[in-house]
Short mmCIF file of all heavy atoms in Angstrom, two decimals:
data_model
loop_
_atom_site.label_atom_id
_atom_site.label_comp_id
_atom_site.label_asym_id
_atom_site.label_seq_id
_atom_site.Cartn_x
_atom_site.Cartn_y
_atom_site.Cartn_z
N VAL A 328 -30.10 -33.98 47.45
CA VAL A 328 -29.99 -35.23 48.19
C VAL A 328 -29.54 -36.27 47.17
O VAL A 328 -30.22 -36.49 46.16
CB VAL A 328 -31.33 -35.62 48.84
CG1 VAL A 328 -31.21 -36.95 49.57
CG2 VAL A 328 -31.79 -34.52 49.81
N TYR A 329 -28.42 -36.93 47.43
CA TYR A 329 -27.73 -37.64 46.35
C TYR A 329 -27.00 -38.86 46.87
O TYR A 329 -26.47 -38.87 47.98
CB TYR A 329 -26.73 -36.67 45.71
CG TYR A 329 -25.82 -37.22 44.64
CD1 TYR A 329 -26.28 -37.45 43.35
CD2 TYR A 329 -24.48 -37.47 44.91
CE1 TYR A 329 -25.43 -37.93 42.35
CE2 TYR A 329 -23.62 -37.94 43.92
CZ TYR A 329 -24.11 -38.18 42.65
OH TYR A 329 -23.26 -38.64 41.67
N TRP A 330 -27.01 -39.92 46.06
CA TRP A 330 -26.22 -41.12 46.33
C TRP A 330 -25.46 -41.44 45.05
O TRP A 330 -26.04 -41.85 44.04
CB TRP A 330 -27.13 -42.29 46.72
CG TRP A 330 -26.40 -43.48 47.31
CD1 TRP A 330 -25.07 -43.72 47.30
CD2 TRP A 330 -27.00 -44.58 48.01
NE1 TRP A 330 -24.78 -44.91 47.93
CE2 TRP A 330 -25.96 -45.46 48.39
CE3 TRP A 330 -28.31 -44.91 48.34
CZ2 TRP A 330 -26.19 -46.64 49.08
CZ3 TRP A 330 -28.54 -46.10 49.03
CH2 TRP A 330 -27.49 -46.94 49.40
N GLY A 331 -24.15 -41.25 45.08
CA GLY A 331 -23.32 -41.49 43.91
C GLY A 331 -22.38 -42.64 44.14
O GLY A 331 -21.78 -42.77 45.21
N PHE A 332 -22.24 -43.49 43.12
CA PHE A 332 -21.37 -44.65 43.19
C PHE A 332 -20.19 -44.47 42.25
O PHE A 332 -20.35 -44.00 41.12
CB PHE A 332 -22.13 -45.92 42.79
CG PHE A 332 -23.34 -46.22 43.65
CD1 PHE A 332 -24.58 -45.69 43.32
CD2 PHE A 332 -23.24 -47.01 44.78
CE1 PHE A 332 -25.70 -45.95 44.10
CE2 PHE A 332 -24.35 -47.28 45.56
CZ PHE A 332 -25.58 -46.75 45.23
N SER A 333 -18.99 -44.84 42.70
CA SER A 333 -17.81 -44.87 41.85
C SER A 333 -17.57 -43.49 41.22
O SER A 333 -17.38 -42.51 41.95
CB SER A 333 -17.97 -45.96 40.78
OG SER A 333 -16.75 -46.25 40.16
N TYR A 334 -17.58 -43.39 39.88
CA TYR A 334 -17.42 -42.07 39.25
C TYR A 334 -18.46 -41.08 39.77
O TYR A 334 -18.20 -39.87 39.84
CB TYR A 334 -17.53 -42.19 37.73
CG TYR A 334 -17.80 -40.87 37.04
CD1 TYR A 334 -16.78 -39.96 36.81
CD2 TYR A 334 -19.10 -40.53 36.66
CE1 TYR A 334 -17.03 -38.74 36.21
CE2 TYR A 334 -19.36 -39.32 36.05
CZ TYR A 334 -18.33 -38.42 35.83
OH TYR A 334 -18.59 -37.21 35.24
N GLY A 335 -19.62 -41.58 40.17
CA GLY A 335 -20.64 -40.70 40.73
C GLY A 335 -20.18 -39.98 41.98
O GLY A 335 -20.72 -38.93 42.34
N THR A 336 -19.14 -40.51 42.65
CA THR A 336 -18.60 -39.81 43.82
C THR A 336 -17.79 -38.59 43.39
O THR A 336 -17.76 -37.58 44.10
CB THR A 336 -17.71 -40.74 44.67
OG1 THR A 336 -16.53 -41.10 43.93
CG2 THR A 336 -18.46 -42.00 45.06
N LEU A 337 -17.12 -38.68 42.25
CA LEU A 337 -16.42 -37.50 41.73
C LEU A 337 -17.43 -36.44 41.34
O LEU A 337 -17.24 -35.24 41.62
CB LEU A 337 -15.57 -37.88 40.51
CG LEU A 337 -14.88 -36.69 39.86
CD1 LEU A 337 -13.65 -36.27 40.64
CD2 LEU A 337 -14.52 -36.98 38.41
N LEU A 338 -18.52 -36.86 40.74
CA LEU A 338 -19.59 -35.94 40.39
C LEU A 338 -20.15 -35.26 41.64
O LEU A 338 -20.40 -34.05 41.65
CB LEU A 338 -20.68 -36.70 39.64
CG LEU A 338 -21.84 -35.91 39.05
CD1 LEU A 338 -21.36 -34.80 38.16
CD2 LEU A 338 -22.77 -36.85 38.29
N GLY A 339 -20.32 -36.04 42.70
CA GLY A 339 -20.81 -35.47 43.96
C GLY A 339 -19.83 -34.49 44.58
O GLY A 339 -20.23 -33.42 45.08
N GLN A 340 -18.54 -34.83 44.56
CA GLN A 340 -17.53 -33.91 45.09
C GLN A 340 -17.50 -32.62 44.28
O GLN A 340 -17.35 -31.52 44.84
CB GLN A 340 -16.16 -34.58 45.05
CG GLN A 340 -15.99 -35.75 46.00
CD GLN A 340 -14.64 -36.42 45.83
OE1 GLN A 340 -13.59 -35.87 46.18
NE2 GLN A 340 -14.65 -37.62 45.27
N THR A 341 -17.63 -32.75 42.96
CA THR A 341 -17.61 -31.56 42.11
C THR A 341 -18.81 -30.67 42.40
O THR A 341 -18.68 -29.44 42.50
CB THR A 341 -17.61 -31.98 40.62
OG1 THR A 341 -16.52 -32.87 40.38
CG2 THR A 341 -17.50 -30.77 39.72
N PHE A 342 -19.99 -31.28 42.56
CA PHE A 342 -21.18 -30.49 42.91
C PHE A 342 -20.97 -29.77 44.23
O PHE A 342 -21.28 -28.57 44.36
CB PHE A 342 -22.40 -31.40 42.99
CG PHE A 342 -23.67 -30.67 43.34
CD1 PHE A 342 -24.52 -30.22 42.35
CD2 PHE A 342 -24.01 -30.42 44.67
CE1 PHE A 342 -25.69 -29.52 42.67
CE2 PHE A 342 -25.17 -29.73 45.00
CZ PHE A 342 -26.00 -29.28 43.99
N ALA A 343 -20.46 -30.49 45.24
CA ALA A 343 -20.29 -29.89 46.56
C ALA A 343 -19.29 -28.73 46.52
O ALA A 343 -19.45 -27.74 47.26
CB ALA A 343 -19.83 -30.95 47.55
N ALA A 344 -18.27 -28.85 45.68
CA ALA A 344 -17.29 -27.77 45.57
C ALA A 344 -17.86 -26.57 44.83
O ALA A 344 -17.54 -25.42 45.15
CB ALA A 344 -16.04 -28.28 44.86
N MET A 345 -18.72 -26.82 43.84
CA MET A 345 -19.30 -25.73 43.05
C MET A 345 -20.49 -25.08 43.76
O MET A 345 -20.70 -23.87 43.64
CB MET A 345 -19.73 -26.26 41.68
CG MET A 345 -18.59 -26.66 40.77
SD MET A 345 -19.15 -27.44 39.22
CE MET A 345 -20.07 -26.10 38.45
N TYR A 346 -21.27 -25.88 44.49
CA TYR A 346 -22.49 -25.38 45.13
C TYR A 346 -22.53 -25.83 46.60
O TYR A 346 -23.42 -26.59 46.99
CB TYR A 346 -23.73 -25.89 44.39
CG TYR A 346 -23.70 -25.65 42.90
CD1 TYR A 346 -23.41 -26.69 42.02
CD2 TYR A 346 -23.96 -24.39 42.37
CE1 TYR A 346 -23.38 -26.49 40.65
CE2 TYR A 346 -23.93 -24.18 41.00
CZ TYR A 346 -23.63 -25.23 40.14
OH TYR A 346 -23.61 -25.02 38.78
N PRO A 347 -21.60 -25.39 47.42
CA PRO A 347 -21.53 -25.88 48.80
C PRO A 347 -22.78 -25.58 49.62
O PRO A 347 -23.10 -26.33 50.56
CB PRO A 347 -20.30 -25.18 49.37
CG PRO A 347 -20.08 -23.99 48.48
CD PRO A 347 -20.54 -24.40 47.13
N ASP A 348 -23.49 -24.51 49.29
CA ASP A 348 -24.69 -24.15 50.05
C ASP A 348 -25.92 -24.94 49.60
O ASP A 348 -27.00 -24.76 50.17
CB ASP A 348 -24.97 -22.65 49.90
CG ASP A 348 -23.90 -21.79 50.56
OD1 ASP A 348 -23.25 -22.29 51.51
OD2 ASP A 348 -23.69 -20.64 50.11
N SER A 349 -25.76 -25.79 48.61
CA SER A 349 -26.90 -26.57 48.10
C SER A 349 -26.78 -28.05 48.43
O SER A 349 -27.42 -28.88 47.80
CB SER A 349 -27.01 -26.39 46.58
OG SER A 349 -27.31 -25.06 46.24
N VAL A 350 -25.96 -28.37 49.42
CA VAL A 350 -25.79 -29.77 49.83
C VAL A 350 -26.81 -30.10 50.91
O VAL A 350 -26.75 -29.55 52.02
CB VAL A 350 -24.36 -30.03 50.34
CG1 VAL A 350 -24.24 -31.43 50.93
CG2 VAL A 350 -23.36 -29.84 49.20
#
Side-chain angles (χ1 to χ4, degrees):
V328 178
Y329 175 77
W330 193 347
F332 301 89
S333 195
Y334 162 80
T336 66
L337 176 78
L338 186 54
Q340 292 175 70
T341 305
F342 180 94
M345 292 174 63
Y346 309 103
D348 294 333
S349 296
V350 173

